[in-house]
């Protein structure tokens, strides 16, 4: 049997493969991947997440690769983080509360989520919008007079629809009462709901409303509307039960016809993380976000509202526990 000699070139190539293999297996070349849950590509949350990923990547260095997941959104993101399908996620503060406690839109407690940074943007508010010809000053009027109203909300299961139910319940009403009094409750997509208000096919619309939300601005310009305040007792009850941020309002002049602040409650966007995210990583990501508010503001106008000094505030994080890494950072900064 003859033995075939290796050429000098093949020997060099083999040696390189062995060196690279040993180097990689030792972990020296490995990069850990962190996943952050956001929402649809091109939307505000995707832009938020891309910006946070860039800041975090610069802070963490070459050891980490950060991937933005372009799906799920408000209800899905806490579930992804809780299940370990994402390490981080964007979440509305109230929905973080619901997820952690297993209420409203969540059948089970998502107890493995933790807060990193709260109050990234101007909060969404619970908006109660009535056509002017309905002639009400409060939802209490509907209950007291057993009014026949045509209520329109978004699809069942969405955050906006949950707010509609909560608003009615805060006044001791339900969808069934509305229908019993001769009214109707329609669940549909947001553009269709707004069109029904515009066309006079609905009298009342309840939803989560963003600051100067464009489609609501358009509705208010072409339709005579009343923005209805949420009563003090009702605000306090909903804040206590569901982790909303108190002291909010639809601002004077924010929409056509709003001539004074309309008291409400709501929730800002924040960053949540898995409890299993290493403390040092959580610390560095929190630091990266809180020490670069200018870069956040440059990425999206709505992030100009972010105040790092309020990022640890429990009301801006839905009352869920802070991640220990984030807590360490806030303590060092004198924010806790």
């Amino acid at each position: 049997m003859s033995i075939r000699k290796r050429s000098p070139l093949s020997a060099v190539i083999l040696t390189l493969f062995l060196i690279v293999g040993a180097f990689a297996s030792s972990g020296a070349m490995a990069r850990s991947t962190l996943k952050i849950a956001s929402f649809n590509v091109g939307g505000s949350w995707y832009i938020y997440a891309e910006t946070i990923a860039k800041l975090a990547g610069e802070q963490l260095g070459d050891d980490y690769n950060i991937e933005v997941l372009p799906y799920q959104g408000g209800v899905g993101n806490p579930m992804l983080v809780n299940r370990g399908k994402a390490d981080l996620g964007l979440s509305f503060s109230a929905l973080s509360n619901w997820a952690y406690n297993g209420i409203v839109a969540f059948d089970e407690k998502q107890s493995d989520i933790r807060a990193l940074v709260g109050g990234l943007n101007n909060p969404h508010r619970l908006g109660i919008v009535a056509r002017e010809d309905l002639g009400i000053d409060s939802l209490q009027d509907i209950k007291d007079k057993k009014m026949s109203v045509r209520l329109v909300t978004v699809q069942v299961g969405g955050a906006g629809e949950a707010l509609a139910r909560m608003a009615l319940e805060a006044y001791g009403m339900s969808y069934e009462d509305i229908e019993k009094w001769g009214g109707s409750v329609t669940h549909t997509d947001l553009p269709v709901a707004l069109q029904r208000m515009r066309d006079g096919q609905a009298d009342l619309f309840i939803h989560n409303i963003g600051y100067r939300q464009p489609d609501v601005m358009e509705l208010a310009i072409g339709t005579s509307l009343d923005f209805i305040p949420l009563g003090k007792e009702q605000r306090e009850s909903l804040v206590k039960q569901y982790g909303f941020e108190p002291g909010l309002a639809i601002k004077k002049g924010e929409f056509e016809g709003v001539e004074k602040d309309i008291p409400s409650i709501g929730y800002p966007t924040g960053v949540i993380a898995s409890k299993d995210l290493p403390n040092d990583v959580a610390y560095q990501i929190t630091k990266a976000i809180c020490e670069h508010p200018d870069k956040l503001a440059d990425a999206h106008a709505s992030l100009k509202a972010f105040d790092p000094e309020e990022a640890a505030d429990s009301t801006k994080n839905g009352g869920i526990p802070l991640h220990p890494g984030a807590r360490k950072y806030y303590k060092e900064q004198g924010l806790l």
Side-chain angles (χ1 to χ4, degrees), residues 182-244:
S184 63
V185 179
T186 302
H187 303 290
T188 186
D189 294 334
L190 179 58
V192 177
L194 295 174
Q195 189 62 47
R196 291 179 73 91
M197 288 290 290
R198 186 178 293 110
D199 294 344
Q201 297 176 27
D203 310 301
L204 184 67
F205 170 65
I206 306 177
H207 191 56
N208 53 330
I209 295 179
Y211 178 74
R212 296 183 65 82
Q213 185 170 321
D215 48 10
V216 177
M217 290 182 71
E218 182 181 348
L219 174 66
I221 290 172
T223 313
S224 296
L225 301 174
D226 289 323
F227 286 78
I228 308 300
L230 189 64
K232 183 175 183 293
E233 179 182 338
Q234 287 74 25
R235 296 196 303 272
E236 292 175 350
S237 174
L238 292 177
V239 165
K240 183 177 180 180
Q241 290 183 73
Y242 299 115
F244 290 103

Side-chain angles (χ1 to χ4, degrees), residues 323-335:
H323 191 289
R327 179 176 292 278
K328 178 183 176 183
Y329 174 79
Y330 293 128
K331 282 188 173 180
E332 288 181 357
Q333 302 303 309
L335 300 176

